[in-house]
């Protein structure tokens, strides 16, 4: 059993861990049981943690502890930190154990609908002993997963830091609008900035984009923006569009995944250019520009691109 004394007397990693467990279980008693320490120790660590934060984080209720808004905000951050620590710990442990024939792929959520299954199918034909793990993430998370070794290979878009990554460009993609087929702009050959003035938009939160300029400017021109729905998930804006909630500005490479939605894809001007890449950690022992795994990624993605070019009358979508 653990009590507060000596080096444990200050709020730190252990206090943060105990606060996290209180949030998960809803009481100091249940947190103590989960952690295998006394309830008194849990209460003392919580007191130290609240002193470090500078405010009370819970209100008492007959059903347990009720977290304040500030407690929820802190928990969300701490939970991510401990998840990262857990991944690092597992990576260290795995480095000393027998290696499994495993490949972890990180890519935007939308690619799980068609592109990633096709890539995994091709990789499995290459090596049927491979075990696959897929991490559906935002651009910032994908880069973090690859640089920390939580993922072996990723699909993202530039910019990436060449100090940490190597990559192969797989698609040069331009801006498009995604809208309902019966929308009054759907029959236009090109949708412009002026066309979108006053239209409700489905937007990716700026902090999760790879281009930090966001949607407020295109080229050097500003225009009135009316975001209707803010999302933190790449590509799933098409589902909101399909229900008639608004218009999304996306790019061709992502829009290729939308064939299961009843939407229309129209070029957008002024267009931004996006370079999509398959990338891996610089210095990787198993991956390089010549490795069979990277070559398989490139082959499948380029095949999908060729289907799009050959079928312009069908919205540029390859068959499933």
């Amino acid at each position: 059993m653990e009590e507060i004394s000596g080096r444990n007397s200050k709020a730190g990693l252990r206090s943060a861990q105990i606060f996290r467990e209180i949030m998960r279980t809803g009481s100091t008693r249940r947190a103590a049981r989960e952690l295998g320490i006394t309830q008194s120790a849990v209460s003392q660590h919580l007191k130290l943690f609240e002193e470090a934060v500078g405010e009370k984080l819970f209100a008492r209720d007959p059903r347990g502890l009720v977290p304040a808004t500030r407690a929820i905000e802190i928990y969300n951050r701490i939970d991510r930190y401990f998840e990262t620590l857990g991944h690092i710990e597992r990576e260290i442990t795995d480095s000393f154990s027998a290696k499994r024939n495993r490949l972890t792929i990180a890519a935007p959520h939308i690619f799980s609908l068609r592109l990633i299954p096709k890539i995994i199918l091709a990789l499995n034909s290459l090596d049927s002993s491979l075990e696959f793990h897929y991490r559906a993430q935002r651009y910032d998370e994908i880069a973090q997963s690859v640089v920390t070794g939580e993922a072996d290979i990723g699909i993202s878009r530039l910019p990436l830091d060449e100090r940490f990554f190597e990559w192969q460009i797989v698609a040069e993609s331009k801006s498009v609008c995604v809208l309902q087929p019966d929308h009054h702009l759907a029959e236009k050959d090109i949708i412009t900035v002026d066309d979108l003035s006053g239209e409700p938009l489905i937007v990716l939160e700026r902090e999760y984009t790879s281009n930090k300029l966001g949607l407020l400017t295109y080229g050097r021109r500003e225009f009135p923006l009316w975001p209707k729905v803010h999302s933190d998930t790449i590509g799933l804006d098409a589902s909101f569009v399909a229900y008639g909630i608004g218009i999304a500005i996306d790019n061709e490479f992502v829009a290729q995944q939308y064939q299961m939605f009843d939407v229309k894809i129209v070029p957008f001007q002024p267009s931004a250019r996006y370079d999509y890449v398959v990338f891996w950690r610089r210095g990787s022992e198993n991956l390089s520009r010549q490795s069979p795994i990277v070559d398989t990624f490139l082959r499948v993605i380029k095949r999908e691109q060729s289907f799009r070019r050959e079928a312009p009358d069908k919205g540029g979508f390859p068959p499933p």
Side-chain angles (χ1 to χ4, degrees):
M1 293 295 179
E2 174 183 330
E3 303 295 343
I4 300 289
S5 64
R7 63 186 176 89
N8 290 327
S9 61
K10 294 182 179 179
L13 189 64
R14 183 58 169 163
S15 295
Q17 181 188 33
I18 290 172
F19 162 76
R20 178 180 182 236
E21 199 60 41
I22 294 171
M23 287 290 293
R24 286 178 161 188
T25 61
S27 77
T28 56
R29 177 178 57 81
R30 287 191 289 269
R33 186 171 62 243
E34 289 294 323
L35 294 168
I37 62 177
T38 66
Q39 186 174 356
S40 174
V42 169
S43 298
Q44 291 179 70
H45 271 292
L46 175 58
K47 181 180 179 182
L48 286 172
F49 193 76
E50 287 179 326
E51 288 174 354
V53 172
E55 60 184 286
K56 287 287 186 182
L57 297 175
F58 296 93
R60 294 200 171 273
D61 184 272
R63 296 166 295 177
L65 296 176
V66 179
T69 301
R70 178 66 171 151
I72 297 171
E73 294 172 356
I74 294 171
Y75 169 75
N76 287 334
R77 292 178 61 185
I78 285 178
D79 190 55
R80 290 197 298 270
Y81 297 154
F82 276 97
E83 285 292 328
T84 300
L85 285 173
H87 289 308
I88 293 172
E89 183 179 15
R90 287 191 291 273
E91 184 177 357
I92 291 171
T93 302
D94 289 346
S95 68
F96 295 103
S97 60
K99 290 185 177 291
R100 298 169 64 183
N101 195 18
R102 179 174 64 187
L103 183 73
T104 301
I105 303 167
H109 300 71
I110 190 66
F111 293 147
S112 64
L113 296 180
R114 60 176 296 112
L115 184 58
I116 296 300
K118 290 190 173 188
I119 290 172
I120 288 177
L121 187 64
L123 288 170
N124 192 60
S125 297
L126 183 71
D127 183 354
S128 61
S129 70
L130 268 174
E131 175 186 306
F132 298 98
H133 292 248
Y134 177 55
R135 300 176 67 86
Q137 298 179 316
R138 304 184 302 260
Y139 293 122
D140 57 326
E141 295 172 325
I142 294 167
Q144 181 181 357
S145 291
V146 174
V147 79
T148 60
E150 299 167 59
D152 302 296
I153 191 167
I155 299 175
S156 187
R157 67 189 196 191
L158 298 181
L160 290 169
D161 194 326
E162 63 182 8
R163 295 174 299 172
F164 306 119
F165 306 111
E166 295 181 86
W167 60 79
Q168 288 274 64
I169 294 178
V170 293
E172 296 177 358
S173 188
K174 294 183 179 180
S175 303
V176 295
C177 277
V178 185
L179 62 170
Q180 280 196 312
D182 59 355
H183 192 281
H184 69 92
L185 296 176
E187 297 307 314
K188 292 180 67 71
D189 294 328
I190 295 174
I191 294 176
T192 68
V193 166
D194 293 327
D195 292 326
L196 294 184
S197 180
E199 293 287 342
L201 298 180
I202 317 300
V203 300
L204 183 67
E205 296 279 11
R206 189 182 302 186
E207 63 186 289
Y208 303 131
T209 64
S210 60
N211 180 358
K212 299 304 180 185
L213 293 177
L215 289 173
L216 289 178
T217 62
Y218 282 92
R220 298 182 178 275
R221 184 175 181 184
E222 296 185 0
F223 73 102
L225 181 68
W226 182 26
K228 189 68 173 178
V229 177
H230 296 262
S231 173
D232 68 350
T233 305
I234 298 163
L236 296 189
D237 45 10
S239 60
F240 297 102
V241 173
Y243 278 93
I245 298 172
I247 296 174
I249 302 173
D250 221 312
N251 67 76
E252 297 166 305
F253 188 65
V254 169
Q256 287 177 50
Q257 312 302 311
Y258 293 165
Q259 69 172 32
M260 67 290 302
F261 298 110
D262 184 21
V263 296
K264 180 77 178 291
I265 311 298
V266 180
F268 176 74
Q269 292 288 343
S271 179
R273 170 177 158 169
Y274 306 92
D275 290 323
Y276 275 86
V277 297
V278 171
F279 74 108
W280 56 94
R281 187 165 56 178
R282 182 171 290 279
S284 170
E285 294 180 4
N286 302 317
L287 298 174
S288 68
R289 286 179 171 82
Q290 292 75 39
S291 68
I293 289 176
V294 172
D295 180 68
T296 301
F297 269 77
L298 299 181
R299 179 163 45 82
V300 172
I301 294 173
K302 289 182 183 294
R303 185 180 67 207
E304 293 287 289
Q305 292 290 97
S306 68
F307 277 129
R308 178 179 64 82
R309 289 190 293 269
E310 293 170 6
D313 294 335
K314 298 181 180 180
F317 294 127

